[in-house]
């Protein structure tokens, strides 16, 4: 069965500082990997996704993530955080099978941005 | 294009009462998902529809939960009777077709509080 672990429940960074959110997954092969962001009272918005190929993927809002097969990780990064990035971030894994539409989500990391 | 629309945004009910949530997916999206998000956790799949057919409802507590997607467009999720543990955010998502590779578009969710 697929699973996702986000080790950090809460992270606080200063505005302008760099950010890295950790994500580890469990899956028998190379899965599809996603990062979503959820602002208070809103649904989840897709930031970026990895299917195959280049292990460094670029997303919206200046975010990027790197797939590391040897570490079963898909960490999210941003070089300079803005106050508007404060939100909850979810990593998700999905099976690359066209008959399976289910994604499994981690429990999220809450990002606080200090002025 | 309009996104995934859910209503109501908030609902407070007493335990043992019935409640229903409504979802209108993005036009042309054949696949519709209902997820439940408990406080401090990531979303968990309840049911997935392909057009009007429920193709994955293994996580739906069928003794009290029911769902329908008439004509393969709008969907309704019902709980009867509600229990205190049902308090959560209920998220609807849609995608063009089955397969996590197509990505989801989430609605803003319905926050249910059972008292």
């Amino acid at each position: 069965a697929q699973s996702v672990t986000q080790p950090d429940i809460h992270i606080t960074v200063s505005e302008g500082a760099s950010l890295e959110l950790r994500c580890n997954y469990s899956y028998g092969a190379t899965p599809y990997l996603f990062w979503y962001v959820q602002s208070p009272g809103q649904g989840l918005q897709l930031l970026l996704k990895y299917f195959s190929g280049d292990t460094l993927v670029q997303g919206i809002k200046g975010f990027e993530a790197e797939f590391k097969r040897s570490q079963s990780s898909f960490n999210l990064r941003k070089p300079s955080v803005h106050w508007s990035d404060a939100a909850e971030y979810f990593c998700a894994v999905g099976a690359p099978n066209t008959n399976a539409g289910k994604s499994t989500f981690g429990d999220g990391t809450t990002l606080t941005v200090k002025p | 294009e309009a996104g995934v629309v859910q209503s109501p945004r908030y609902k407070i009910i007493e335990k043992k009462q019935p409640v229903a949530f409504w979802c209108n997916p993005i036009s042309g999206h054949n696949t519709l998902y209902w997820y439940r998000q408990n406080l401090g956790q990531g979303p968990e799949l309840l049911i997935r529809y392909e057009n009007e057919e429920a193709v994955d409802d293994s996580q739906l507590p069928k003794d009290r939960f029911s769902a329908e997607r008439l004509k393969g467009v709008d969907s309704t999720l019902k709980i009867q009777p509600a229990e205190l543990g049902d308090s959560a955010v209920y998220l609807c998502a849609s995608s063009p077709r089955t397969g996590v590779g197509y990505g989801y578009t989430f609605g803003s969710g319905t926050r249910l509080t059972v008292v």
Side-chain angles (χ1 to χ4, degrees), chain B residues 27-31 33 50-51 94-99 102-105:
Chain B
S27 177
H29 279 197
N30 295 331
T31 307
Y33 309 79
E50 288 301 320
N51 298 304
S94 69
S95 65
R97 56 183 64 186
T98 293
Y102 293 100
Y104 304 155
T105 301

Side-chain angles (χ1 to χ4, degrees), chain A residues 32 34 36 38 41-44 51 90 95 98-99 101-103 105-107, chain B residues 9 33 35 37 40-43 45 48 91 98-101 104 106-108:
Chain A
Y32 290 166
F34 307 83
Y36 288 85
Q38 186 177 33
Q42 300 299 314
L44 283 72
F51 294 163
F90 292 93
T98 56
N99 291 324
K102 176 182 176 180
S103 282
F105 290 79
D107 286 338
Chain B
R9 289 296 309 275
Y33 309 79
Y35 277 84
Q37 185 177 18
Q41 297 181 10
L45 181 69
R48 171 168 64 96
L91 294 164
T98 293
V100 292
Y104 304 155
F106 281 89
S108 296

